[in-house]
Amino acid sequence: MTDIYQDHGDSARGLAPGDLCVVDRNAERAIVAVLAIESDHALVCLVTNEIEMATDTDMVLPVELTGARFPLCLQAAIFGAVALPRLRERVGHVSSEVRDALGILTRDEYEELVSADGRSSTRLRRCPPSLRRYQGLPLVGTATPRWAFKQDEAVRMLRFIDPEPVEDTGVSAAQIATINDALQRSGLVDLRSSFEAESQQLRVTGSVTPTNEPDRCDLTVRVLDSGSINTGLAGTPIQAVGSGGRIVSSGELDDAASITFRRLPRADEYSLQLTAPVEVETPDRELIAAAGEEHRELIALDASSGFEAAVSLQDERGREITVLGPPDEPRVDLWAQLSVLQDDNPDGTLVSPVWWQQETERCTTKFWLPWRIVLGPRPLRMTTIDSITTLAPRVFVLSIRATRAEDARTSWHSTLARSELPQAVLEVIRDTLWTV
Amino acid sequence: MAENLDELRREYEEHGQSIGRLLQKEVEDAAKLIMSSATPDPVITAEDVAQELALRLLSPNYRDDTAPLVSAARQLDYILAVSTDLDDFSRLLRREGRRTIARLRQRSVIDNLLDRCVALLDHPPFVELNTRGVEAAWALADSTPALREPTDDELHQVAVAAAAIPKRRPERGDKAPSVYTREDLQRLLETVASWLPCPLTRGTLRAVFARLLADWTVSVLREELEQPPAAEGLTPDEQAIAAELVERIVADLRDEELRVLRLVLEDRSWSDIAARIGRSRPTIATRRAAIVAVLNTHLSDVSRPVASAALERLQVLDAPS
């Protein structure tokens, strides 16, 4: 196996589409197949050795076709963008023919097969004939072990996506639960020692200082966005709720908050929960009226891309925007990952993995853009779709311009990748990461 | 016993395709642990599993007659590539052990199915073909199949066509699961015969079943391992209490504490646990104190059989990676 970074210093110049690499994040490793490479990340699909779980969107490849030392199952429909530095050893490589086949497997295209006696027929997901023998069998219903396996694999893939997506509505109920969970698991309920915990989205650190008073601890809590996530949550007030004791003070996200917690005399059980409530604002009628002027700009997409966009629904909550792909594009699903570009993070930070997707005859995606998304105390107002360009056969970039009330420098972009994840898998992702 | 993952890696580099002492111990431990949780099997022993698992781990030429086209060879390379520490390695090794048992069982499941198929093929609408002493072959009475072996592409298409025929989940302890009812097996044979342009033979049917049952035995075994045998002696109410206790204990333990607990339940030494978790012994001792506190909280007021059942359930839970 070759370590890409040993060979090529601190860049991934040695990485090529088709490479099978180990991906390493948060003390978890997996093998992925690189489908496309961009400046700072690679679009990859997840690979497993559990070849018996292959479905018709997977290819089970022998060592002769991969150069790896072991057979592998390449899961074309379980994919995502991972940061290049996460990719480690190269364990093999697949040909462009296999890569193209992986793309075909994610399309909703079928062939009609007829039995030898001509009396019956069945549908088979399209796959190049030369590679069909390596394709898995179709899923039949959802009550099968392979379906459950795919759901687990989709969630596993998400653990390698970097940076972690955050809810488009800021901190959601799920995220609040995560904070609570992190605190409880950190041993905070004991109020006896220092603690540190990193949850999926937030890092929680803190220390407890005993005082001379028998039932009192001074507790310093620091809750940070995890890693590189910086979505403007700074300054969001943390609400602390305790049981078996009394909260004296509270603090803000991204800021050391000195929290004093006084345990009630003889309280056998005591706990502390932190929440960081962030809500979507509903705009006033004037703002909605003003937005009508933006429609022209909204649909002014890069003409060369072949994409078209139009506002298909608008109400007090926001706008539904329908984006049509190029007329010659096959029928596909689109999976959107929305990022926010900020002054301190020009490469963009993943905000929302999926906004909306819908399959029609022509490559179509519907986005729901709320009028305002409040990320922390600073509201962002969505205004325009800027452009859509094709980067690679499987990757599109959708740029959406957004402004803050007080400054117009912030813009958004999203990466759209063709996907044909089973609906239930998409629902898992949706349930896990975002709420409508 | 390996102290850490690097030690295992070094041993593997030195031994190549032959199994080293440290890996042998890991393989034997994994096989014993899985077999202790599985329904007792008079045919497959822990030694059989360890032997087969070692082959799957190391042999580049390992052939698995239950896996079409691709056999799960050199799985040790895969496990080493994606393991982050010794505990992670052991977890993946146990998963490979489960796959190994599933494959061993699948052979007998398919053999039983083939015997039942032959009995059905001796009756209409099938006829036995005159193959002049070569392997027995059958076809639908009104068909004229070409006397040749099916191609992989043809077998794949047949499997796609037959995939919708329902399979039955076996009862717990059923060592000879039927998989298909008689009617469904008849339907399956007619489907295969109408899709294949060549005759049905035991070899052809074995290849079809290998495709159709690829995930079935693995999932059946997984379900079996997730049902701890100790729960059998309890009333349904007591089993429900044990299940609820497990949920509470898991909720109250940190991921690392859960990993430590599972290793404790595997009867591992504290130094072994410290090495596998990658922490110092004092740190593990701290974890142990936290675990004991949680277990005392939840198990002190329940009967001993219920507490034992809860602990056994905890042992077979997949620990967080």
mmCIF file with all atom_site columns, all heavy atoms in Angstrom, chain A residues 29 49 52 69 71 117 119 133 135 185, chain B residues 69 71 74-75 95 99 142 152 156 253-254:
data_model
loop_
_atom_site.group_PDB
_atom_site.id
_atom_site.type_symbol
_atom_site.label_atom_id
_atom_site.label_alt_id
_atom_site.label_comp_id
_atom_site.label_asym_id
_atom_site.label_entity_id
_atom_site.label_seq_id
_atom_site.pdbx_PDB_ins_code
_atom_site.Cartn_x
_atom_site.Cartn_y
_atom_site.Cartn_z
_atom_site.occupancy
_atom_site.B_iso_or_equiv
_atom_site.pdbx_formal_charge
_atom_site.auth_seq_id
_atom_site.auth_comp_id
_atom_site.auth_asym_id
_atom_site.auth_atom_id
_atom_site.pdbx_PDB_model_num
ATOM 1   N N   . ARG A 1 29  ? -11.681 4.263   10.177  1.00 0.00 ? 29  ARG A N   1
ATOM 2   C CA  . ARG A 1 29  ? -11.101 4.120   8.842   1.00 0.00 ? 29  ARG A CA  1
ATOM 3   C C   . ARG A 1 29  ? -12.019 3.278   7.963   1.00 0.00 ? 29  ARG A C   1
ATOM 4   O O   . ARG A 1 29  ? -12.756 2.427   8.450   1.00 0.00 ? 29  ARG A O   1
ATOM 5   C CB  . ARG A 1 29  ? -9.712  3.446   8.927   1.00 0.00 ? 29  ARG A CB  1
ATOM 6   C CG  . ARG A 1 29  ? -8.645  4.334   9.528   1.00 0.00 ? 29  ARG A CG  1
ATOM 7   C CD  . ARG A 1 29  ? -7.482  3.521   10.066  1.00 0.00 ? 29  ARG A CD  1
ATOM 8   N NE  . ARG A 1 29  ? -6.667  2.913   9.030   1.00 0.00 ? 29  ARG A NE  1
ATOM 9   C CZ  . ARG A 1 29  ? -5.589  3.467   8.485   1.00 0.00 ? 29  ARG A CZ  1
ATOM 10  N NH1 . ARG A 1 29  ? -5.198  4.664   8.864   1.00 0.00 ? 29  ARG A NH1 1
ATOM 11  N NH2 . ARG A 1 29  ? -4.901  2.843   7.553   1.00 0.00 ? 29  ARG A NH2 1
ATOM 12  N N   . ASN A 1 49  ? -15.887 -4.854  2.479   1.00 0.00 ? 49  ASN A N   1
ATOM 13  C CA  . ASN A 1 49  ? -15.480 -6.228  2.162   1.00 0.00 ? 49  ASN A CA  1
ATOM 14  C C   . ASN A 1 49  ? -16.661 -7.188  2.308   1.00 0.00 ? 49  ASN A C   1
ATOM 15  O O   . ASN A 1 49  ? -16.527 -8.373  2.037   1.00 0.00 ? 49  ASN A O   1
ATOM 16  C CB  . ASN A 1 49  ? -14.322 -6.677  3.063   1.00 0.00 ? 49  ASN A CB  1
ATOM 17  C CG  . ASN A 1 49  ? -14.753 -6.890  4.507   1.00 0.00 ? 49  ASN A CG  1
ATOM 18  O OD1 . ASN A 1 49  ? -15.681 -6.243  4.974   1.00 0.00 ? 49  ASN A OD1 1
ATOM 19  N ND2 . ASN A 1 49  ? -14.070 -7.771  5.205   1.00 0.00 ? 49  ASN A ND2 1
ATOM 20  N N   . GLU A 1 52  ? -21.189 -10.144 0.287   1.00 0.00 ? 52  GLU A N   1
ATOM 21  C CA  . GLU A 1 52  ? -22.484 -10.818 0.226   1.00 0.00 ? 52  GLU A CA  1
ATOM 22  C C   . GLU A 1 52  ? -23.639 -9.839  0.369   1.00 0.00 ? 52  GLU A C   1
ATOM 23  O O   . GLU A 1 52  ? -24.787 -10.196 0.142   1.00 0.00 ? 52  GLU A O   1
ATOM 24  C CB  . GLU A 1 52  ? -22.578 -11.905 1.298   1.00 0.00 ? 52  GLU A CB  1
ATOM 25  C CG  . GLU A 1 52  ? -22.384 -11.440 2.726   1.00 0.00 ? 52  GLU A CG  1
ATOM 26  C CD  . GLU A 1 52  ? -20.924 -11.428 3.151   1.00 0.00 ? 52  GLU A CD  1
ATOM 27  O OE1 . GLU A 1 52  ? -20.044 -11.507 2.271   1.00 0.00 ? 52  GLU A OE1 1
ATOM 28  O OE2 . GLU A 1 52  ? -20.668 -11.323 4.360   1.00 0.00 ? 52  GLU A OE2 1
ATOM 29  N N   . ARG A 1 69  ? -5.397  -6.444  -2.564  1.00 0.00 ? 69  ARG A N   1
ATOM 30  C CA  . ARG A 1 69  ? -5.031  -7.805  -2.199  1.00 0.00 ? 69  ARG A CA  1
ATOM 31  C C   . ARG A 1 69  ? -6.252  -8.620  -1.803  1.00 0.00 ? 69  ARG A C   1
ATOM 32  O O   . ARG A 1 69  ? -6.141  -9.791  -1.487  1.00 0.00 ? 69  ARG A O   1
ATOM 33  C CB  . ARG A 1 69  ? -4.030  -7.767  -1.042  1.00 0.00 ? 69  ARG A CB  1
ATOM 34  C CG  . ARG A 1 69  ? -2.790  -6.983  -1.397  1.00 0.00 ? 69  ARG A CG  1
ATOM 35  C CD  . ARG A 1 69  ? -1.850  -6.884  -0.227  1.00 0.00 ? 69  ARG A CD  1
ATOM 36  N NE  . ARG A 1 69  ? -1.056  -8.099  -0.088  1.00 0.00 ? 69  ARG A NE  1
ATOM 37  C CZ  . ARG A 1 69  ? -0.037  -8.220  0.750   1.00 0.00 ? 69  ARG A CZ  1
ATOM 38  N NH1 . ARG A 1 69  ? 0.309   -7.213  1.502   1.00 0.00 ? 69  ARG A NH1 1
ATOM 39  N NH2 . ARG A 1 69  ? 0.629   -9.351  0.829   1.00 0.00 ? 69  ARG A NH2 1
ATOM 40  N N   . PRO A 1 71  ? -10.820 -9.031  -2.335  1.00 0.00 ? 71  PRO A N   1
ATOM 41  C CA  . PRO A 1 71  ? -11.984 -8.622  -3.132  1.00 0.00 ? 71  PRO A CA  1
ATOM 42  C C   . PRO A 1 71  ? -12.781 -7.546  -2.401  1.00 0.00 ? 71  PRO A C   1
ATOM 43  O O   . PRO A 1 71  ? -12.797 -7.508  -1.168  1.00 0.00 ? 71  PRO A O   1
ATOM 44  C CB  . PRO A 1 71  ? -12.803 -9.909  -3.248  1.00 0.00 ? 71  PRO A CB  1
ATOM 45  C CG  . PRO A 1 71  ? -12.371 -10.750 -2.112  1.00 0.00 ? 71  PRO A CG  1
ATOM 46  C CD  . PRO A 1 71  ? -10.959 -10.394 -1.803  1.00 0.00 ? 71  PRO A CD  1
ATOM 47  N N   . ASP A 1 117 ? -37.085 -19.024 -22.591 1.00 0.00 ? 117 ASP A N   1
ATOM 48  C CA  . ASP A 1 117 ? -38.249 -19.564 -23.299 1.00 0.00 ? 117 ASP A CA  1
ATOM 49  C C   . ASP A 1 117 ? -39.184 -18.460 -23.798 1.00 0.00 ? 117 ASP A C   1
ATOM 50  O O   . ASP A 1 117 ? -40.228 -18.740 -24.393 1.00 0.00 ? 117 ASP A O   1
ATOM 51  C CB  . ASP A 1 117 ? -39.018 -20.562 -22.412 1.00 0.00 ? 117 ASP A CB  1
ATOM 52  C CG  . ASP A 1 117 ? -39.628 -19.893 -21.179 1.00 0.00 ? 117 ASP A CG  1
ATOM 53  O OD1 . ASP A 1 117 ? -39.507 -18.659 -21.050 1.00 0.00 ? 117 ASP A OD1 1
ATOM 54  O OD2 . ASP A 1 117 ? -40.207 -20.612 -20.345 1.00 0.00 ? 117 ASP A OD2 1
ATOM 55  N N   . ARG A 1 119 ? -41.168 -16.561 -22.281 1.00 0.00 ? 119 ARG A N   1
ATOM 56  C CA  . ARG A 1 119 ? -42.492 -16.468 -21.644 1.00 0.00 ? 119 ARG A CA  1
ATOM 57  C C   . ARG A 1 119 ? -42.550 -15.458 -20.503 1.00 0.00 ? 119 ARG A C   1
ATOM 58  O O   . ARG A 1 119 ? -43.624 -15.095 -20.058 1.00 0.00 ? 119 ARG A O   1
ATOM 59  C CB  . ARG A 1 119 ? -42.915 -17.838 -21.105 1.00 0.00 ? 119 ARG A CB  1
ATOM 60  C CG  . ARG A 1 119 ? -43.192 -18.834 -22.208 1.00 0.00 ? 119 ARG A CG  1
ATOM 61  C CD  . ARG A 1 119 ? -43.468 -20.200 -21.613 1.00 0.00 ? 119 ARG A CD  1
ATOM 62  N NE  . ARG A 1 119 ? -43.611 -21.201 -22.656 1.00 0.00 ? 119 ARG A NE  1
ATOM 63  C CZ  . ARG A 1 119 ? -43.619 -22.498 -22.436 1.00 0.00 ? 119 ARG A CZ  1
ATOM 64  N NH1 . ARG A 1 119 ? -43.484 -22.955 -21.217 1.00 0.00 ? 119 ARG A NH1 1
ATOM 65  N NH2 . ARG A 1 119 ? -43.751 -23.345 -23.436 1.00 0.00 ? 119 ARG A NH2 1
ATOM 66  N N   . ARG A 1 133 ? -21.606 -9.263  -14.675 1.00 0.00 ? 133 ARG A N   1
ATOM 67  C CA  . ARG A 1 133 ? -21.413 -10.422 -13.796 1.00 0.00 ? 133 ARG A CA  1
ATOM 68  C C   . ARG A 1 133 ? -20.950 -10.011 -12.402 1.00 0.00 ? 133 ARG A C   1
ATOM 69  O O   . ARG A 1 133 ? -21.056 -10.786 -11.458 1.00 0.00 ? 133 ARG A O   1
ATOM 70  C CB  . ARG A 1 133 ? -20.398 -11.382 -14.426 1.00 0.00 ? 133 ARG A CB  1
ATOM 71  C CG  . ARG A 1 133 ? -19.045 -10.744 -14.668 1.00 0.00 ? 133 ARG A CG  1
ATOM 72  C CD  . ARG A 1 133 ? -18.208 -11.526 -15.643 1.00 0.00 ? 133 ARG A CD  1
ATOM 73  N NE  . ARG A 1 133 ? -17.848 -12.815 -15.128 1.00 0.00 ? 133 ARG A NE  1
ATOM 74  C CZ  . ARG A 1 133 ? -16.601 -13.296 -15.138 1.00 0.00 ? 133 ARG A CZ  1
ATOM 75  N NH1 . ARG A 1 133 ? -15.602 -12.573 -15.629 1.00 0.00 ? 133 ARG A NH1 1
ATOM 76  N NH2 . ARG A 1 133 ? -16.333 -14.487 -14.684 1.00 0.00 ? 133 ARG A NH2 1
ATOM 77  N N   . GLN A 1 135 ? -22.114 -7.293  -10.871 1.00 0.00 ? 135 GLN A N   1
ATOM 78  C CA  . GLN A 1 135 ? -23.178 -6.502  -10.256 1.00 0.00 ? 135 GLN A CA  1
ATOM 79  C C   . GLN A 1 135 ? -23.938 -7.354  -9.230  1.00 0.00 ? 135 GLN A C   1
ATOM 80  O O   . GLN A 1 135 ? -24.153 -8.546  -9.442  1.00 0.00 ? 135 GLN A O   1
ATOM 81  C CB  . GLN A 1 135 ? -24.134 -6.046  -11.366 1.00 0.00 ? 135 GLN A CB  1
ATOM 82  C CG  . GLN A 1 135 ? -25.220 -5.094  -10.943 1.00 0.00 ? 135 GLN A CG  1
ATOM 83  C CD  . GLN A 1 135 ? -26.143 -4.765  -12.128 1.00 0.00 ? 135 GLN A CD  1
ATOM 84  O OE1 . GLN A 1 135 ? -26.085 -5.419  -13.177 1.00 0.00 ? 135 GLN A OE1 1
ATOM 85  N NE2 . GLN A 1 135 ? -26.985 -3.770  -11.945 1.00 0.00 ? 135 GLN A NE2 1
ATOM 86  N N   . ARG A 1 185 ? -22.305 11.992  28.688  1.00 0.00 ? 185 ARG A N   1
ATOM 87  C CA  . ARG A 1 185 ? -21.274 10.983  28.528  1.00 0.00 ? 185 ARG A CA  1
ATOM 88  C C   . ARG A 1 185 ? -19.924 11.471  29.029  1.00 0.00 ? 185 ARG A C   1
ATOM 89  O O   . ARG A 1 185 ? -19.036 10.700  29.287  1.00 0.00 ? 185 ARG A O   1
ATOM 90  C CB  . ARG A 1 185 ? -21.172 10.561  27.063  1.00 0.00 ? 185 ARG A CB  1
ATOM 91  C CG  . ARG A 1 185 ? -22.307 9.663   26.668  1.00 0.00 ? 185 ARG A CG  1
ATOM 92  C CD  . ARG A 1 185 ? -22.272 9.359   25.205  1.00 0.00 ? 185 ARG A CD  1
ATOM 93  N NE  . ARG A 1 185 ? -23.395 8.523   24.836  1.00 0.00 ? 185 ARG A NE  1
ATOM 94  C CZ  . ARG A 1 185 ? -23.371 7.188   24.887  1.00 0.00 ? 185 ARG A CZ  1
ATOM 95  N NH1 . ARG A 1 185 ? -22.295 6.574   25.250  1.00 0.00 ? 185 ARG A NH1 1
ATOM 96  N NH2 . ARG A 1 185 ? -24.423 6.485   24.547  1.00 0.00 ? 185 ARG A NH2 1
ATOM 97  N N   . LEU B 2 69  ? -18.170 -16.186 -8.209  1.00 0.00 ? 69  LEU B N   1
ATOM 98  C CA  . LEU B 2 69  ? -17.168 -15.313 -8.838  1.00 0.00 ? 69  LEU B CA  1
ATOM 99  C C   . LEU B 2 69  ? -16.040 -14.871 -7.926  1.00 0.00 ? 69  LEU B C   1
ATOM 100 O O   . LEU B 2 69  ? -14.881 -14.984 -8.242  1.00 0.00 ? 69  LEU B O   1
ATOM 101 C CB  . LEU B 2 69  ? -17.832 -14.058 -9.423  1.00 0.00 ? 69  LEU B CB  1
ATOM 102 C CG  . LEU B 2 69  ? -18.862 -14.315 -10.504 1.00 0.00 ? 69  LEU B CG  1
ATOM 103 C CD1 . LEU B 2 69  ? -19.546 -13.015 -10.882 1.00 0.00 ? 69  LEU B CD1 1
ATOM 104 C CD2 . LEU B 2 69  ? -18.212 -14.935 -11.715 1.00 0.00 ? 69  LEU B CD2 1
ATOM 105 N N   . SER B 2 71  ? -14.233 -14.834 -4.151  1.00 0.00 ? 71  SER B N   1
ATOM 106 C CA  . SER B 2 71  ? -14.138 -15.408 -2.816  1.00 0.00 ? 71  SER B CA  1
ATOM 107 C C   . SER B 2 71  ? -13.479 -14.416 -1.879  1.00 0.00 ? 71  SER B C   1
ATOM 108 O O   . SER B 2 71  ? -12.698 -13.572 -2.293  1.00 0.00 ? 71  SER B O   1
ATOM 109 C CB  . SER B 2 71  ? -13.315 -16.688 -2.850  1.00 0.00 ? 71  SER B CB  1
ATOM 110 O OG  . SER B 2 71  ? -14.104 -17.739 -3.339  1.00 0.00 ? 71  SER B OG  1
ATOM 111 N N   . ARG B 2 74  ? -7.825  -13.250 1.623   1.00 0.00 ? 74  ARG B N   1
ATOM 112 C CA  . ARG B 2 74  ? -6.914  -12.254 2.203   1.00 0.00 ? 74  ARG B CA  1
ATOM 113 C C   . ARG B 2 74  ? -7.641  -11.166 2.978   1.00 0.00 ? 74  ARG B C   1
ATOM 114 O O   . ARG B 2 74  ? -7.342  -9.976  2.858   1.00 0.00 ? 74  ARG B O   1
ATOM 115 C CB  . ARG B 2 74  ? -6.061  -11.621 1.106   1.00 0.00 ? 74  ARG B CB  1
ATOM 116 C CG  . ARG B 2 74  ? -5.155  -12.591 0.409   1.00 0.00 ? 74  ARG B CG  1
ATOM 117 C CD  . ARG B 2 74  ? -3.973  -11.934 -0.196  1.00 0.00 ? 74  ARG B CD  1
ATOM 118 N NE  . ARG B 2 74  ? -2.953  -11.695 0.805   1.00 0.00 ? 74  ARG B NE  1
ATOM 119 C CZ  . ARG B 2 74  ? -1.660  -11.852 0.582   1.00 0.00 ? 74  ARG B CZ  1
ATOM 120 N NH1 . ARG B 2 74  ? -1.248  -12.257 -0.589  1.00 0.00 ? 74  ARG B NH1 1
ATOM 121 N NH2 . ARG B 2 74  ? -0.793  -11.596 1.518   1.00 0.00 ? 74  ARG B NH2 1
ATOM 122 N N   . GLN B 2 75  ? -8.590  -11.595 3.777   1.00 0.00 ? 75  GLN B N   1
ATOM 123 C CA  . GLN B 2 75  ? -9.348  -10.608 4.550   1.00 0.00 ? 75  GLN B CA  1
ATOM 124 C C   . GLN B 2 75  ? -8.494  -9.929  5.612   1.00 0.00 ? 75  GLN B C   1
ATOM 125 O O   . GLN B 2 75  ? -8.837  -8.850  6.085   1.00 0.00 ? 75  GLN B O   1
ATOM 126 C CB  . GLN B 2 75  ? -10.568 -11.276 5.187   1.00 0.00 ? 75  GLN B CB  1
ATOM 127 C CG  . GLN B 2 75  ? -11.610 -11.716 4.182   1.00 0.00 ? 75  GLN B CG  1
ATOM 128 C CD  . GLN B 2 75  ? -12.151 -10.552 3.362   1.00 0.00 ? 75  GLN B CD  1
ATOM 129 O OE1 . GLN B 2 75  ? -12.757 -9.640  3.899   1.00 0.00 ? 75  GLN B OE1 1
ATOM 130 N NE2 . GLN B 2 75  ? -11.897 -10.579 2.063   1.00 0.00 ? 75  GLN B NE2 1
ATOM 131 N N   . ARG B 2 95  ? -16.388 -10.082 13.266  1.00 0.00 ? 95  ARG B N   1
ATOM 132 C CA  . ARG B 2 95  ? -17.333 -9.967  12.152  1.00 0.00 ? 95  ARG B CA  1
ATOM 133 C C   . ARG B 2 95  ? -16.943 -10.953 11.047  1.00 0.00 ? 95  ARG B C   1
ATOM 134 O O   . ARG B 2 95  ? -17.793 -11.608 10.449  1.00 0.00 ? 95  ARG B O   1
ATOM 135 C CB  . ARG B 2 95  ? -17.334 -8.531  11.609  1.00 0.00 ? 95  ARG B CB  1
ATOM 136 C CG  . ARG B 2 95  ? -18.487 -8.249  10.674  1.00 0.00 ? 95  ARG B CG  1
ATOM 137 C CD  . ARG B 2 95  ? -18.398 -6.875  10.072  1.00 0.00 ? 95  ARG B CD  1
ATOM 138 N NE  . ARG B 2 95  ? -17.311 -6.793  9.105   1.00 0.00 ? 95  ARG B NE  1
ATOM 139 C CZ  . ARG B 2 95  ? -16.994 -5.699  8.417   1.00 0.00 ? 95  ARG B CZ  1
ATOM 140 N NH1 . ARG B 2 95  ? -17.661 -4.592  8.615   1.00 0.00 ? 95  ARG B NH1 1
ATOM 141 N NH2 . ARG B 2 95  ? -16.008 -5.698  7.555   1.00 0.00 ? 95  ARG B NH2 1
ATOM 142 N N   . ARG B 2 99  ? -18.981 -14.168 9.442   1.00 0.00 ? 99  ARG B N   1
ATOM 143 C CA  . ARG B 2 99  ? -19.139 -14.453 8.006   1.00 0.00 ? 99  ARG B CA  1
ATOM 144 C C   . ARG B 2 99  ? -18.653 -15.871 7.699   1.00 0.00 ? 99  ARG B C   1
ATOM 145 O O   . ARG B 2 99  ? -19.217 -16.571 6.855   1.00 0.00 ? 99  ARG B O   1
ATOM 146 C CB  . ARG B 2 99  ? -18.352 -13.444 7.172   1.00 0.00 ? 99  ARG B CB  1
ATOM 147 C CG  . ARG B 2 99  ? -18.859 -12.014 7.301   1.00 0.00 ? 99  ARG B CG  1
ATOM 148 C CD  . ARG B 2 99  ? -17.966 -11.053 6.557   1.00 0.00 ? 99  ARG B CD  1
ATOM 149 N NE  . ARG B 2 99  ? -18.072 -11.186 5.109   1.00 0.00 ? 99  ARG B NE  1
ATOM 150 C CZ  . ARG B 2 99  ? -17.129 -10.795 4.257   1.00 0.00 ? 99  ARG B CZ  1
ATOM 151 N NH1 . ARG B 2 99  ? -16.009 -10.261 4.691   1.00 0.00 ? 99  ARG B NH1 1
ATOM 152 N NH2 . ARG B 2 99  ? -17.301 -10.949 2.972   1.00 0.00 ? 99  ARG B NH2 1
ATOM 153 N N   . ASP B 2 142 ? -41.292 -29.363 -22.139 1.00 0.00 ? 142 ASP B N   1
ATOM 154 C CA  . ASP B 2 142 ? -41.540 -28.838 -23.483 1.00 0.00 ? 142 ASP B CA  1
ATOM 155 C C   . ASP B 2 142 ? -40.385 -27.981 -24.000 1.00 0.00 ? 142 ASP B C   1
ATOM 156 O O   . ASP B 2 142 ? -40.541 -27.237 -24.962 1.00 0.00 ? 142 ASP B O   1
ATOM 157 C CB  . ASP B 2 142 ? -42.843 -28.014 -23.479 1.00 0.00 ? 142 ASP B CB  1
ATOM 158 C CG  . ASP B 2 142 ? -42.789 -26.884 -22.451 1.00 0.00 ? 142 ASP B CG  1
ATOM 159 O OD1 . ASP B 2 142 ? -41.825 -26.868 -21.645 1.00 0.00 ? 142 ASP B OD1 1
ATOM 160 O OD2 . ASP B 2 142 ? -43.700 -26.047 -22.457 1.00 0.00 ? 142 ASP B OD2 1
ATOM 161 N N   . ASP B 2 152 ? -21.775 -16.921 -16.680 1.00 0.00 ? 152 ASP B N   1
ATOM 162 C CA  . ASP B 2 152 ? -21.989 -16.113 -15.470 1.00 0.00 ? 152 ASP B CA  1
ATOM 163 C C   . ASP B 2 152 ? -23.100 -15.098 -15.693 1.00 0.00 ? 152 ASP B C   1
ATOM 164 O O   . ASP B 2 152 ? -23.876 -14.810 -14.788 1.00 0.00 ? 152 ASP B O   1
ATOM 165 C CB  . ASP B 2 152 ? -20.694 -15.387 -15.083 1.00 0.00 ? 152 ASP B CB  1
ATOM 166 C CG  . ASP B 2 152 ? -19.685 -16.346 -14.477 1.00 0.00 ? 152 ASP B CG  1
ATOM 167 O OD1 . ASP B 2 152 ? -20.110 -17.331 -13.850 1.00 0.00 ? 152 ASP B OD1 1
ATOM 168 O OD2 . ASP B 2 152 ? -18.473 -16.105 -14.643 1.00 0.00 ? 152 ASP B OD2 1
ATOM 169 N N   . HIS B 2 156 ? -26.495 -14.785 -13.557 1.00 0.00 ? 156 HIS B N   1
ATOM 170 C CA  . HIS B 2 156 ? -26.882 -13.520 -12.907 1.00 0.00 ? 156 HIS B CA  1
ATOM 171 C C   . HIS B 2 156 ? -28.330 -13.175 -13.253 1.00 0.00 ? 156 HIS B C   1
ATOM 172 O O   . HIS B 2 156 ? -29.109 -12.789 -12.377 1.00 0.00 ? 156 HIS B O   1
ATOM 173 C CB  . HIS B 2 156 ? -25.937 -12.403 -13.358 1.00 0.00 ? 156 HIS B CB  1
ATOM 174 C CG  . HIS B 2 156 ? -26.219 -11.079 -12.706 1.00 0.00 ? 156 HIS B CG  1
ATOM 175 N ND1 . HIS B 2 156 ? -25.908 -10.824 -11.392 1.00 0.00 ? 156 HIS B ND1 1
ATOM 176 C CD2 . HIS B 2 156 ? -26.806 -9.958  -13.176 1.00 0.00 ? 156 HIS B CD2 1
ATOM 177 C CE1 . HIS B 2 156 ? -26.289 -9.600  -11.086 1.00 0.00 ? 156 HIS B CE1 1
ATOM 178 N NE2 . HIS B 2 156 ? -26.836 -9.045  -12.153 1.00 0.00 ? 156 HIS B NE2 1
ATOM 179 N N   . LEU B 2 253 ? -23.383 4.710   29.747  1.00 0.00 ? 253 LEU B N   1
ATOM 180 C CA  . LEU B 2 253 ? -21.942 4.499   29.594  1.00 0.00 ? 253 LEU B CA  1
ATOM 181 C C   . LEU B 2 253 ? -21.415 5.273   28.407  1.00 0.00 ? 253 LEU B C   1
ATOM 182 O O   . LEU B 2 253 ? -22.082 5.387   27.379  1.00 0.00 ? 253 LEU B O   1
ATOM 183 C CB  . LEU B 2 253 ? -21.639 3.006   29.398  1.00 0.00 ? 253 LEU B CB  1
ATOM 184 C CG  . LEU B 2 253 ? -21.854 2.094   30.605  1.00 0.00 ? 253 LEU B CG  1
ATOM 185 C CD1 . LEU B 2 253 ? -21.634 0.637   30.205  1.00 0.00 ? 253 LEU B CD1 1
ATOM 186 C CD2 . LEU B 2 253 ? -20.898 2.461   31.732  1.00 0.00 ? 253 LEU B CD2 1
ATOM 187 N N   . ARG B 2 254 ? -20.217 5.792   28.568  1.00 0.00 ? 254 ARG B N   1
ATOM 188 C CA  . ARG B 2 254 ? -19.560 6.398   27.411  1.00 0.00 ? 254 ARG B CA  1
ATOM 189 C C   . ARG B 2 254 ? -19.131 5.279   26.466  1.00 0.00 ? 254 ARG B C   1
ATOM 190 O O   . ARG B 2 254 ? -19.016 4.114   26.864  1.00 0.00 ? 254 ARG B O   1
ATOM 191 C CB  . ARG B 2 254 ? -18.330 7.188   27.870  1.00 0.00 ? 254 ARG B CB  1
ATOM 192 C CG  . ARG B 2 254 ? -18.678 8.253   28.890  1.00 0.00 ? 254 ARG B CG  1
ATOM 193 C CD  . ARG B 2 254 ? -17.452 8.708   29.621  1.00 0.00 ? 254 ARG B CD  1
ATOM 194 N NE  . ARG B 2 254 ? -16.526 9.419   28.733  1.00 0.00 ? 254 ARG B NE  1
ATOM 195 C CZ  . ARG B 2 254 ? -15.404 9.988   29.155  1.00 0.00 ? 254 ARG B CZ  1
ATOM 196 N NH1 . ARG B 2 254 ? -15.076 9.949   30.426  1.00 0.00 ? 254 ARG B NH1 1
ATOM 197 N NH2 . ARG B 2 254 ? -14.613 10.613  28.318  1.00 0.00 ? 254 ARG B NH2 1
#
